[in-house]
Amino acid sequence: AAREAMVAAGKEWLAAGVDRRSELATLAATLATGLAREMIRSGDLAGAKAAVVSAASEWKKAGENRTGELAGLEADIAEAAVKLGRVEEAADIYTSALEVAEEAGDVEAQAAAYGKLANAYKLLGRNDEAIQVLTKSLELAQQNEDEARQVA
């Protein structure tokens, strides 16, 4: 219902010569983000992933870079998958969150994703891979700390 109301408002604004597509896209992205969080809480991980994709699309339309937030949502979905015993799926989602964080250049989010991926690998008995990604997590955390000191 909210989406239909936004579309109707957008059509009225365009008819009046007012272009508010960016604002509507931001609102749609915010609604999709809230929907993703609710779906995570309810255990509908596929629905949550679809809502995250929708939010990403809307933020792109609005010209907003929210890749860090998207990576965080993906990590939340992965954590829910672990709690549901779907650890292999969680590892895949953490890998996706890591890619989003790398694309954004968000070193803190990368370090967190690597750390969580290491835990998923450990749960899967993939200990060598867990050690590799945990080492990368620690390296990035140290790099982030060093960069913070240089700014201060």
Side-chain angles (χ1 to χ4, degrees), residues 11-72:
K11 286 179 181 178
E12 287 178 23
W13 289 330
L14 287 174
V18 178
D19 187 353
R20 293 200 132 145
R21 286 179 280 198
S22 177
E23 292 171 34
L24 287 171
T26 298
L27 181 56
T30 302
L31 289 170
T33 300
L35 180 61
R37 292 188 194 291
E38 188 55 41
M39 290 179 153
I40 291 167
R41 281 190 283 279
S42 73
D44 180 2
L45 304 188
K49 287 171 77 172
V52 169
V53 168
S54 176
S57 172
E58 294 298 334
W59 275 323
K60 187 174 184 177
K61 288 178 194 174
E64 294 187 37
N65 181 357
R66 299 282 187 100
T67 49
E69 187 170 348
L70 292 170

